[in-house]
Amino acid sequence: SGESIIDGLSEMVLRNPTLIVTRGELGPDPVVAVWLFDGEAHGYDLIGYFSVELTENDDRLIQRMEYIEELPDSGRLTVETPDRVDLPEWDDWSINEEG
């Protein structure tokens, strides 16, 4: 259900505050790429993706989402890679407060 998706995404973000998502494609199908910031490498690591199933009507609403951790071996997965500037502002503030 829509409520379950929202609850699941909220829980995922609470556990991983540097999580960010970008658009992607797996072959012809749309996906949502999931990234976590790696502080040591100062960049994002791709940790999985959401496959998205859309409704068949004109509204094209999300009917189902599934999180997949295992990335495909082939070059079928195309994603937008986030930049360091995409890291939420509060993370920069929390680093300054700790030091």
Side-chain angles (χ1 to χ4, degrees):
S1 70
E3 191 172 309
S4 295
I5 290 173
I6 291 170
D7 289 345
L9 290 173
S10 294
E11 180 65 28
M12 191 174 203
V13 170
L14 287 173
R15 284 191 318 250
N16 304 288
T18 63
L19 181 136
I20 192 167
V21 297
T22 62
R23 294 180 292 182
E25 295 175 342
L26 183 59
D29 300 320
V31 297
V32 179
V34 180
W35 305 82
L36 279 181
F37 187 72
D38 180 347
E40 292 179 12
H42 298 288
Y44 281 90
D45 293 328
L46 182 62
I47 61 164
Y49 65 94
F50 286 99
S51 65
V52 180
E53 186 178 320
L54 303 174
T55 59
E56 296 294 326
N57 59 19
D58 292 338
D59 293 337
R60 303 291 290 168
L61 301 174
I62 295 174
Q63 181 173 343
R64 183 174 181 273
M65 288 181 70
E66 179 181 359
Y67 179 67
I68 301 167
E69 288 183 6
E70 189 169 323
L71 301 173
D73 292 333
S74 68
R76 293 181 42 220
L77 181 62
T78 305
V79 297
E80 292 180 5
T81 305
D83 292 325
R84 167 65 173 92
V85 296
D86 295 324
L87 189 64
E89 288 181 22
W90 70 264
D91 190 62
D92 289 334
W93 299 333
S94 66
I95 289 171
N96 291 333
E97 288 177 7
E98 291 173 4

